[in-house]
Amino acid sequence: MEDHPELRPLLTVAGGSMRGLSVRVGPERQVIGRGSTADIVVHDAHLSRRHAEVWLTGEGAALADLGSTNGTWLNDRRITGVERLADGDVIRLGRTELRVFDPGVARTDPVGFSFGEPRRDRRPTLPLPIAAQATPAVDAVTPVALPAVSSAPS
């Protein structure tokens, strides 16, 4: 992954005031918090100044709480030690929600192309049909006989 940083896991803010912000996880420990000294500053009053940290190990990305007041939640479970992150995990810090995307093991990429076997637990997304414009068909018109009009004066 050192040669291809684009294959590092990506954390994206999916809910909260900073929605859309994305950060790549690197081998060095990155502190997440609301304090200006944090490596990843998140503007959320419910976060501690140094709330949690994330880093890349040989097995993948890892997450640890730094003794925050409101806790760090991984997939709706409060964590107490170091947790390994997987593609699709949801991290909640205060009122901010982060999604984990790991391109090295992901079965789908961010725009929905799938890799490997198709999933059986979900329907594929299909494009919406284009609405047909209402134009009368020539075959549908029934000819009507009109009375003959004489051009002679009466």
Side-chain angles (χ1 to χ4, degrees):
M1 271 193 255
E2 294 298 321
D3 295 338
H4 300 283
E6 66 275 5
L7 293 178
R8 291 180 182 169
L10 184 70
L11 298 180
T12 302
V13 179
S17 63
M18 298 182 70
R19 186 181 176 122
L21 171 77
S22 291
V23 178
R24 291 262 177 218
V25 178
E28 66 284 345
R29 291 179 180 244
Q30 297 167 286
V31 174
I32 305 169
R34 66 177 166 84
S36 60
T37 59
D39 300 305
I40 304 169
V41 178
V42 178
H43 302 292
D44 182 339
H46 296 90
L47 260 66
S48 297
R49 287 180 184 82
R50 295 175 46 87
H51 195 98
E53 63 184 354
V54 62
W55 68 98
L56 194 57
T57 68
E59 294 82 40
L63 173 72
D65 184 74
L66 295 176
S68 63
T69 304
N70 293 325
T72 299
W73 300 75
L74 179 61
N75 299 324
D76 293 326
R77 181 179 53 82
R78 189 173 184 160
I79 66 169
T80 55
V82 176
E83 296 282 336
R84 184 163 179 229
L85 298 176
D87 182 57
D89 279 349
V90 177
I91 303 166
R92 190 166 40 88
L93 312 164
R95 294 197 177 159
T96 301
E97 185 176 282
L98 302 164
R99 301 277 172 140
V100 178
F101 171 68
D102 191 345
V105 298
R107 295 192 53 80
T108 62
D109 71 7
V111 293
F113 294 112
S114 62
F115 306 109
E117 293 293 318
R119 292 181 63 170
R120 302 277 182 224
D121 61 337
R122 205 170 15 164
R123 267 190 346 201
T125 302
L126 300 174
L128 293 173
I130 298 173
Q133 295 181 358
T135 56
V138 176
D139 296 344
V141 177
T142 307
V144 177
L146 298 174
V149 177
S150 157
S151 58
S154 17

